[in-house]
Amino acid sequence: MSSLKQKAKELKNAEQGKAQFVRFVLNGCFSASVHYLVYYLLQLVIEVNVAYATGYMVSFLVNYYTTCYFTFRRQPTWSHFIGFSGSHAVNFGLHIVLFWICMQLGIHRLVAPVIVMGIAMLVQFTILRWIFKKR
């Protein structure tokens, strides 16, 4: 009987993981849209790297709350915020390096963020799932 309960629990966890991933992707698209919109508007008037970094910071604040409430259905806590911030520090570095590489490769400045965000989103889900599962 315990084997059946274990299998049911594993199935439930797998289903929750899939649902979390779908919510993460939706939230990521929303947050990326905020990032891109801020970037797009600012790059018209300031240097592209500064515009990109500023867009990232604005989307960070939006993303934290939507990640807590929507993606993982948890209340914001200092523990989550610290873990989220740490994961985003890694993610921010990844964004800056990948964006710089795209610029060096001659990828258009309006296309580069889309490439960078796609790669970074997969890395970020892995990190955040671990953080919100542990706390």
Side-chain angles (χ1 to χ4, degrees), residues 2 5 9-10 16 18 27 38 54 63 67 72 79 83 86-90 92 94 98 100 115 122 126 133:
S2 66
K5 285 183 182 180
K9 184 177 178 179
E10 289 171 5
Q16 286 176 344
K18 289 177 189 173
N27 183 43
V38 172
T54 303
N63 194 358
T67 294
F72 294 106
S79 178
S87 74
H88 272 269
V90 171
F92 182 72
L94 182 62
L98 291 175
W100 181 84
I115 295 167
L122 296 173
T126 303
K133 194 172 192 175

Side-chain angles (χ1 to χ4, degrees), residues 6-127:
Q6 181 65 24
K7 290 197 185 281
K9 184 177 178 179
E10 289 171 5
L11 182 59
K12 182 179 177 184
N13 287 341
E15 291 300 315
Q16 286 176 344
K18 289 177 189 173
Q20 282 177 346
F21 184 74
V22 168
R23 291 191 305 268
F24 176 82
V25 169
L26 292 173
N27 183 43
C29 289
F30 174 70
S31 296
S33 296
V34 169
H35 182 181
Y36 193 86
L37 178 63
V38 172
Y39 164 74
Y40 178 79
L41 294 173
L42 290 178
Q43 63 88 34
L44 296 171
V45 295
I46 64 175
E47 199 270 327
V48 293
N49 289 296
V50 175
Y52 192 80
T54 303
Y56 186 93
M57 294 303 177
V58 170
S59 73
F60 172 85
L61 296 173
V62 171
N63 194 358
Y64 173 66
Y65 285 100
T66 54
T67 294
C68 288
Y69 289 117
F70 178 68
T71 302
F72 294 106
R73 305 197 190 268
R74 301 279 179 94
Q75 291 294 316
T77 64
W78 282 110
S79 178
H80 289 149
F81 183 75
I82 290 167
F84 185 86
S85 297
S87 74
H88 272 269
V90 171
N91 198 25
F92 182 72
L94 182 62
H95 271 257
I96 297 305
V97 169
L98 291 175
F99 185 75
W100 181 84
I101 290 170
C102 286
M103 293 294 99
Q104 297 307 306
L105 293 174
I107 296 172
H108 192 276
R109 67 185 189 182
L110 298 180
V111 175
V114 176
I115 295 167
V116 172
M117 289 175 193
I119 294 167
M121 186 183 289
L122 296 173
V123 173
Q124 190 68 358
F125 178 73
T126 303
I127 295 170

